[in-house]
Amino acid sequence: MNREPRAGRGRPTGPRAFLLAASFLITLGSFAVLPYMSVLLHDRLGLGLGTVGVVLAVASLVQFSGGVVGAALARRIGLRGTMLVALAVRTAGFGAFVPGLGSPVVAVGALLLVSCGAALYLPANKAYLVEGAREAERPRLLSMSGAAFNAGIALGPPAAAPFVLSSPGVLFAVVTALFAAVGFGHAALPRTDGPGGVPSGSRASAGRPDGALLPFAVTVVSVYAFMFFQHYLALYAVPRTSASFYGVVLMAYAGLIVIAQPLLSRWIAGLTYESATRVGFSAMAAGTAAIAWGGRTGIGAGAALICLGEIVLFLKNDLEALARSSAAPAVVFGRQRLAAGIGAFASGVVGGQLYGMAEEAGRTEAFWLAVSLQCVVLPLSLTSAVRRGCAGVMARRTRSARSSSS
């Protein structure tokens, strides 16, 4: 068959099952090294924290916002072809890290290459999963995809912890081989009819100018808040605990997503968007405040709360974006990645400066308190601004309609 069959009520089979397994392996390899990137760049290669922040910001911007390019590529060569190109680029990037461990310039170039591959891959991956699926089936499919990715996150950091500083060259070589093998497996996937079908039951309409804008804006802030945890927890937690404890925290974090997101997917889908954002950002605010408390208890509890925020916000944002848009899923996911890229870039730039100042003052816990405050203030400010902007658009449309009729 040239098209993946419609999802049933049981476990996915065939191409979808392979894609979920591949998602686990891809994230396993990626998170064996990427969570330690700030440590490698700062401690091994000697880059300053401000420079590390900018590098991570640019890499995040490329990784996320490049999803728009991935969606455009999928329209030309299809979903499978796009995933194959993405995996080839990412394999080359990880391979370039082997000689790059002795050169900051080469290492940064390799990181950007890895980010380019990730940018191309994920919109096509998610679109392939929901191709032909009913709207009611999407929460389960997307939550299973999130669970597969996070299962890899759970195992990658602790597996790599003993080698990331002592034998990073061997580690990157193994990751490169893993990505090459996964890429060959993707070549056997059947083609789809296109970049993803038009969502059924779309709620987008010309009368709702906020259709896709609100999920886009909320995604920007969601990823902005989350990436402080992603980028800077290692610098904060490892000196206070150990690299092994940090790996265990990430493993438990990802394991919680693997278990909880599929179980909560129907509940999250049933929440209003306003309720979901309230729950998600409240959890992130409480979690970053707990991290500021410090110690193993504070860091562990904070990670669990941030995990809840991620589960609710990331899934609900994707579901709302799909439901409010009449575009093909690959295009919708590409736009969502662009929103994530904007948030990640801003988080990297702001976070590097804030953390550097907090470290110089000897008060790194203040960094997490500042993030907690932003998790309260920014969602309210941004959603209010979006609604005011949409009200202005509606007012201008009304005035234009009245002028035309007169």
Side-chain angles (χ1 to χ4, degrees):
M1 293 179 64
N2 290 331
R3 185 183 175 102
E4 165 72 357
R6 187 179 293 272
R9 295 192 177 187
R11 295 180 179 178
T13 58
R16 281 197 177 107
F18 168 79
L19 208 58
L20 291 172
S23 297
F24 163 72
L25 293 174
I26 286 169
T27 317
L28 175 70
S30 298
F31 275 77
V33 292
L34 294 182
Y36 301 102
M37 196 54 59
S38 60
V39 177
L40 286 172
L41 293 175
H42 180 54
D43 293 346
R44 183 181 177 90
L45 295 176
L47 297 180
L49 282 174
T51 303
V52 170
V54 172
V55 169
L56 293 178
V58 173
S60 297
L61 181 62
V62 170
Q63 177 175 340
F64 288 105
S65 62
V68 175
V69 179
L73 184 63
R75 298 182 74 89
R76 295 183 64 86
I77 66 174
L79 299 176
R80 186 189 68 166
T82 301
M83 288 188 286
L84 287 172
V85 170
L87 288 170
V89 171
R90 216 166 185 199
T91 302
F94 281 116
F97 267 112
V98 177
L101 290 170
S103 167
V105 174
V106 177
V108 170
L111 177 60
L112 294 178
L113 201 59
V114 168
S115 299
C116 288
L120 298 175
Y121 183 81
L122 194 57
N125 172 283
K126 286 188 173 181
Y128 197 102
L129 277 175
V130 301
E131 174 82 6
R134 297 188 301 271
E135 186 173 4
E137 297 168 332
R138 288 177 181 151
R140 181 179 63 88
L141 289 171
L142 291 176
S143 66
M144 291 182 71
S145 175
F149 275 106
N150 281 280
I153 294 173
L155 296 179
F163 311 104
V164 69
L165 293 178
S166 61
S167 305
V170 174
L171 181 61
F172 278 107
V174 171
V175 171
T176 302
L178 175 63
F179 269 81
V182 171
F184 281 116
H186 276 67
L189 287 172
R191 294 181 180 273
T192 59
D193 291 346
V198 174
S200 60
S202 171
R203 290 186 272 124
S205 68
R208 290 190 60 187
D210 67 329
L213 182 58
L214 187 58
F216 186 94
V218 175
T219 298
V220 170
V221 180
S222 301
V223 176
Y224 172 82
F226 171 74
M227 293 304 285
F228 288 113
F229 172 82
Q230 176 81 9
H231 282 161
Y232 300 103
L233 184 63
L235 290 173
Y236 182 81
V238 171
R240 287 166 174 76
T241 56
S242 66
S244 297
F245 177 78
Y246 171 66
V248 169
V249 167
L250 290 188
M251 181 175 65
Y253 183 101
L256 184 58
I257 292 182
V258 171
I259 296 170
Q261 191 169 66
L263 294 176
L264 296 177
S265 61
R266 292 182 63 184
W267 171 69
I268 294 170
L271 289 174
T272 65
Y273 202 22
E274 183 177 359
S275 296
T277 54
R278 188 181 301 117
V279 170
F281 284 114
S282 295
M284 285 196 172
T288 48
I291 290 174
W293 183 28
R296 293 174 185 261
T297 301
I299 292 171
L305 287 165
I306 292 171
C307 181
L308 174 61
E310 179 188 349
I311 287 171
V312 174
L313 288 172
F314 286 22
L315 178 57
K316 191 65 174 180
N317 286 339
D318 278 352
L319 293 174
E320 284 293 307
L322 280 172
R324 291 169 182 250
S325 176
S326 59
V331 175
V332 173
F333 290 128
R335 291 171 181 166
Q336 286 297 100
R337 295 288 288 179
L338 174 60
I342 295 171
F345 178 80
S347 181
V349 171
V350 173
Q353 302 304 318
L354 280 180
Y355 200 94
M357 290 188 294
E359 187 176 64
E360 287 180 4
R363 296 293 302 275
T364 48
E365 68 276 5
F367 170 83
W368 297 103
L369 292 175
V371 175
S372 179
L373 180 62
Q374 291 180 82
C375 289
V376 175
V377 174
L378 287 179
L380 296 175
S381 302
L382 186 56
T383 53
S384 176
V386 168
R387 285 168 181 163
R388 286 197 304 270
C390 292
V393 171
M394 289 297 293
R396 287 193 294 272
R397 286 183 178 179
T398 301
R399 288 194 299 268
S400 177
R402 287 175 179 173
S403 300
S404 299
S405 61
S406 62

